């Protein structure tokens, strides 16, 4: 970590603490559980651990509804537990990236409790309040991302307050410099405790169009998002925080960018702008949204997936931005089930997705369970779900006319709970996650899909990730190589190259259960590869074909070669 951009050769491991490891039998994970598992993460080759919210919270949105930004929720442990975690990370030369949720706070936060007491409260303008529309009712037609109106009525002061997410998540008013000062102070609090990185939750939503116009849907879906996404002062606000906290302390940051653009993410993450180190965007994880709608199913569009990954690789490189690379997180179904075969070809598929992602330019993120090939769980009924978004949508889908079973099938495919079931450590009860009653079901396949069964297996998915993480530290071409897509809309194969003056790296993957062949375009083959010697870096099949201009690929085969 001595190079200024050391994190460009690192891999981040995302920990959803509620489901990672429980050490006190409460049924939910805790900070001590993460500390207990640091050797596991260190052995995997992880440098940076992203810890999702463990602050005081009513848990309506599993901690993304923060009621005190500087106190640990007893459900997850104590500040002493946190300090012990920091010490143990330091011993292993690992760093902590903390999740910060400051587009909104919980309505249980003291700021909001004060604000709602009176229009004259000094905290009133910490939030966004509007009078009812002239004819009564909500101020405009903006919709919550969890369904329903984005406005909640407060009887006490006869005004509405804005909630872009759950009705108990009140949007903070970043136009108020006192709010911006509060954010700077809470970031400094954690930085002084040794935190070296921050993941900024929906940070591109913090600047709203202050006219709060009705959305007529003429340009984009009529839910208002264009009036608060990448808003008028967002870069100014982020830069202000950089100048006061992240820059002076040389901290790494990743911005979660909801519904953003490539141009914006270049601007957010180009180091010349002193804003963020890197950005998450979600366009590649909407290729199975029919008409762009999350709750309308369709088979995923493979060509669109490849096109988007390529567009962002080339665009961010040309613009000097930096991608946070991911296919999984706590808000998404498991990619293994979504894009490949999580049954007959589960192991090949998990390794294929890993090789495809980790060969790209950017900083890869591994979401807990991804490294052992955890698929979407088997859901039996709606009562097994916990996510507020899923529960709301199960009701809304039926209000829209879907039969219960049809609505349940849609929830099964799209629910964020698909990635929130407990980490599967071993074959003991509850997969070794808890000795208590787990807060959410453990997937029944934990007896065959678990950490313990893979650690010593050289051919396991876990050890495939371990190799990829090591390669990123070793090969400069994985950090700096220019991306070139080599398959022109091949129906099953995704092939790309990373090139620099000295070397060529090839990643070739068959995203199908068919035996296929792939030919590297003549001009590329002749210019860069003909008569060169290739070295296999990693594969997911026992038999590995020689790299030739035309290569035969077995079902879900995936290879990475280097040509020097
Ligand atoms: O996610 C924001 C976000 O864009 C997704 O939640 C998405 O909008 C949602 O899944 C609807 O499709 C961040 C956190 O990652 C998420 O867990 C929180 O629920 C949300 O913000 C509110 O803090």
């Amino acid at each position: 970590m001595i190079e200024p951009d050391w994190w460009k050769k690192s891999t981040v491991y995302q920990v959803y603490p509620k489901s990672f490891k429980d050490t006190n039998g409460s049924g939910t994970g805790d900070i001590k559980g993460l500390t207990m598992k640091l050797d596991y993460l260190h052995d995997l080759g992880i440098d940076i651990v992203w810890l999702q919210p463990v602050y005081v919270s009513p848990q309506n949105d599993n901690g993304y509804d923060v009621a005190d930004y500087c106190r640990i929720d007893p459900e997850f442990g104590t500040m002493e537990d946190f300090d012990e975690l920091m010490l143990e990370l330091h011993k292993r030369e690992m760093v902590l990236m903390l999740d910060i949720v400051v587009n909104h706070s919980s309505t249980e936060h003291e700021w909001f409790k004060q604000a709602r007491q009176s229009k004259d409260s000094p905290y009133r303008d910490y939030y966004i309040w509007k009078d009812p529309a002239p004819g009564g009712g909500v101020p405009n037609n903006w919709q919550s991302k969890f369904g329903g109106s984005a406005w909640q009525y407060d009887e006490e002061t006869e005004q509405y307050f804005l909630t872009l997410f759950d009705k108990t998540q009140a949007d903070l008013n970043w136009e108020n410099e006192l709010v911006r000062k509060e954010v700077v102070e809470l970031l400094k609090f954690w930085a002084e405790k040794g935190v070296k990185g921050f993941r900024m939750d929906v940070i591109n939503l913090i600047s709203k169009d202050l006219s709060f116009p009705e959305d007529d849907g003429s340009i984009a879906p009529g839910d208002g998002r264009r009036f608060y996404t990448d808003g008028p002062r967002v870069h100014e606000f982020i830069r202000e925080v950089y100048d006061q906290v992240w820059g002076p302390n040389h901290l790494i940051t990743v911005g979660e960018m909801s519904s953003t653009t490539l141009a914006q993410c270049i601007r957010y993450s180009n180091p010349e702008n002193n804003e963020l180190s890197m950005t998450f965007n979600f366009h590649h994880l909407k290729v199975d949204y029919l008409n762009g709608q999350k709750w309308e199913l369709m088979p995923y569009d493979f060509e669109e997936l490849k096109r988007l990954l390529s567009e962002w690789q080339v665009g961010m490189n040309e613009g000097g931005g930096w991608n946070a690379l991911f296919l999984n997180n706590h808000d998404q179904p498991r990619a293994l089930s979504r894009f490949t075969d999580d049954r007959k070809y589960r192991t090949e598929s998990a390794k294929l997705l890993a090789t495809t992602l980790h060969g790209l330019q950017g900083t890869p993120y591994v979401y807990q369970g991804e490294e052992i090939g955890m698929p979407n769980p088997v859901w039996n009924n709606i009562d097994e779900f916990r996510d507020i978004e899923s529960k709301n949508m199960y009701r809304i889908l039926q209000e829209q006319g879907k039969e219960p079973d049809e609505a349940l099938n849609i929830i099964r495919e799209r629910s964020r709970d698909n990635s929130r079931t407990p980490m599967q450590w071993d074959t003991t009860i509850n997969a070794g996650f808890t000795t208590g009653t787990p807060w959410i079901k453990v997937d029944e396949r934990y007896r065959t899909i678990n950490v313990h069964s893979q650690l010593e297996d050289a051919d396991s998915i876990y050890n495939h990730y371990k190799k990829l993480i090591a390669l990123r530290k070793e090969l400069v071409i994985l950090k700096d190589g220019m991306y070139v897509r080599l398959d022109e809309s091949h129906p099953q194969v995704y092939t790309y190259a990373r090139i620099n003056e000295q070397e060529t790296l090839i990643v070739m993957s068959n995203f199908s259960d068919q035996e296929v062949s792939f030919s590297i375009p003549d001009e590329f083959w002749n210019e860069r590869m003909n008569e060169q010697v290739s070295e296999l870096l990693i594969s997911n099949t026992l038999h590995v074909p020689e790299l030739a201009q035309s290569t035969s690929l077995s079902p879900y085969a995936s290879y990475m070669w280097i040509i020097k």
Side-chain angles (χ1 to χ4, degrees), residues 17-35:
K18 203 176 175 93
S19 300
F20 191 66
K21 174 65 180 171
D22 170 25
T23 60
N24 62 9
S26 67
T28 56
D30 45 49
I31 293 169
K32 278 187 175 297
L34 172 52
T35 303

Side-chain angles (χ1 to χ4, degrees), residues 61 64 101 104 145-146 165 169 199 201-202 256 258 294 330-331 389 416 420:
D61 187 21
Y64 282 88
V101 189
H104 47 270
K145 285 177 180 277
F146 293 166
F165 291 92
Q169 291 169 296
R199 181 264 185 183
D201 188 64
V202 291
E256 183 201 29
S258 180
K294 174 173 182 175
H330 63 298
D331 292 331
E389 179 192 45
R416 302 190 297 177
R420 298 179 177 185

